[in-house]
Amino acid sequence: MALLTLAEAKAQLDLDTTTNDVELQAYIDSLTAVIEHHTGPVQTRTVTETIEGRSSVMCLSSIPAVALISVVPTLTDDGPADLATLVLDAPTGIVRRRSGTFAGMMWTVTYTAGRAAVPPTINLAARILLAHLWRTQYGAARGGGGSDDYNVGDPIPGFGYAIPNRVLELLEPYKLPPGVA
């Protein structure tokens, strides 16, 4: 599942030939990291991380989380936690233990993070970001529109002029909560 297909990108930029397909694919591939910096994983992937247990709750760092695959104590010979005794709150990435505690142990947690499908708003944000980046490189002559609509004003701290405000506004409903990286 891609944030944006080559066909969608070419339609956004009004490109009809295959002349720029390789370069355009590089642009498409670069969008994922930028978008997911704000939204968390969009494309589904397996994540493995080590978490220090402190109570009957653990917090996963990649959200939204889709499903737990395994929860195994790291420094002991104890077997894996029974997944049937765990409750995953997918949007927040909080794993609760129905009985017992995670405290006092390090846990290796393997889970799936991401979304089942790319929400249309995220797809649109990716299209607008692609058009913006393409235009800043090549101007209106090679696709991306012909107006001055890509003047983004003041840069976003840490991102320069790479992300137009309209993209950030589209991503706002999917924005990660504070403290989630």
Side-chain angles (χ1 to χ4, degrees):
M1 169 185 70
L3 288 180
L4 194 61
T5 66
L6 182 60
E8 291 171 327
K10 290 172 82 168
Q12 180 71 26
L13 299 175
D14 294 324
L15 297 174
D16 296 329
T17 69
T18 59
T19 305
N20 300 307
D21 283 5
V22 172
E23 184 178 13
L24 186 54
Q25 188 62 54
Y27 274 71
I28 294 166
D29 294 343
S30 72
L31 296 175
T32 300
V34 175
I35 298 288
E36 288 185 348
H37 173 78
H38 295 279
T39 65
V42 176
Q43 296 176 312
T44 304
R45 65 183 57 103
T46 299
V47 177
T48 300
E49 62 183 308
T50 302
I51 301 173
E52 182 179 357
R54 295 181 184 248
S55 67
S56 61
V57 175
M58 279 195 288
C59 296
L60 306 176
S61 62
S62 292
I63 60 172
V66 177
L68 293 170
I69 297 171
S70 68
V71 179
V72 180
T74 305
L75 302 174
T76 70
D77 291 333
D78 294 347
D82 179 2
L83 297 181
T85 66
L86 306 178
V87 177
L88 171 64
D89 181 356
T92 64
I94 295 174
V95 180
R96 287 184 169 73
R97 204 159 197 183
R98 291 184 183 181
S99 64
T101 181
F102 294 115
M105 300 176 83
M106 298 294 288
W107 297 85
T108 300
V109 182
T110 303
Y111 59 100
T112 307
R115 292 168 171 85
V118 178
T121 307
I122 292 178
N123 178 273
L124 178 59
R127 288 173 186 247
I128 292 170
L129 181 56
L130 171 72
H132 170 73
L133 294 173
W134 191 260
R135 181 173 168 85
T136 59
Q137 179 72 17
Y138 292 109
R142 285 182 68 187
S147 71
D148 192 32
D149 197 33
Y150 288 84
N151 182 351
V152 294
D154 293 330
I156 304 300
F159 288 99
Y161 290 93
I163 305 176
N165 286 333
R166 74 189 78 220
V167 171
L168 294 174
E169 290 167 359
L170 287 168
L171 297 177
E172 186 67 27
Y174 304 96
K175 188 176 179 182
L176 290 171
V180 177

